[in-house]
Amino acid sequence: LMSVSDIAKNIFKWAVISLVAALLLNCLCDALKTEFLQKFLEENLILLLVALLAINTATIGIILLRLGEISSEYKVKFPRIISAMKQSVWEQLGLITIGTFCLVLHTSKVIKSTFPNADFYLETAIIAIAIYAIVVVYDTADAAFALNHESDKLIDKSKPPH
């Protein structure tokens, strides 16, 4: 199992990567004088995050079914994979919570009047949340492909040689 420290390092790494990518993307949007991405995410971020959570949860369900089959047939356990799946759901729930908070701040007249650059920073955070959510779904999909590959190897090993 991954230690809490390893999990925290991984979350921090992807949070920083997402923030840097979001900062670059937000600067590009500013340079191009477009607000499309910012407006789209302002209106659709929570919907997008919930949809990605639904996709992730469905994928995890399929993976868990396959893990159950493999576990009962080959007498192996998968605590690390199950732990990583739980972590991905918690990450997505956290993103929904943080995203909601950022959107509330982003639409606040008090925040806008008190902090002149709040829009730019909050838009960057909102973009970063969307990027991080996509990374979480990618990780789950990658785990599904890895599971498929590893289960094929198990099946090949258990077949009698010709």
Side-chain angles (χ1 to χ4, degrees), residues 55-120:
I55 292 167
N56 197 33
T57 305
T59 305
I60 287 172
I62 293 166
I63 292 171
L64 288 174
L65 283 172
R66 185 72 180 127
L67 288 177
E69 292 168 0
I70 294 168
S71 183
S72 63
E73 190 171 337
Y74 297 99
K75 308 297 182 232
V76 291
K77 301 286 182 203
F78 302 97
R80 204 174 96 225
I81 293 172
I82 292 168
S83 175
M85 287 185 226
K86 286 180 187 175
Q87 176 192 331
S88 76
V89 171
W90 280 112
E91 282 176 289
Q92 286 186 299
L93 292 172
L95 290 171
I96 291 169
T97 304
I98 295 167
T100 302
F101 182 69
C102 285
L103 287 169
V104 167
L105 293 177
H106 187 254
T107 57
S108 167
K109 289 177 178 65
V110 172
I111 296 296
K112 288 179 182 186
S113 65
T114 308
F115 303 101
N117 294 324
D119 263 352
F120 181 81

Side-chain angles (χ1 to χ4, degrees), residues 7-67:
I7 292 169
K9 285 179 193 173
N10 192 46
I11 290 171
F12 181 76
K13 175 184 90 171
W14 283 110
V16 169
I17 290 169
S18 297
L19 275 170
V20 169
L23 179 62
L24 294 172
L25 201 50
N26 204 15
C27 286
L28 178 64
C29 287
D30 276 0
L32 294 173
K33 305 275 189 252
T34 178
E35 294 181 0
F36 170 77
L37 183 61
Q38 294 89 336
K39 295 278 185 213
F40 175 80
L41 289 175
E42 183 179 324
E43 294 172 8
N44 298 297
L45 179 67
I46 301 306
L47 181 65
L48 175 69
L49 293 175
V50 170
L52 290 174
L53 176 61
I55 292 167
N56 197 33
T57 305
T59 305
I60 287 172
I62 293 166
I63 292 171
L64 288 174
L65 283 172
R66 185 72 180 127
L67 288 177

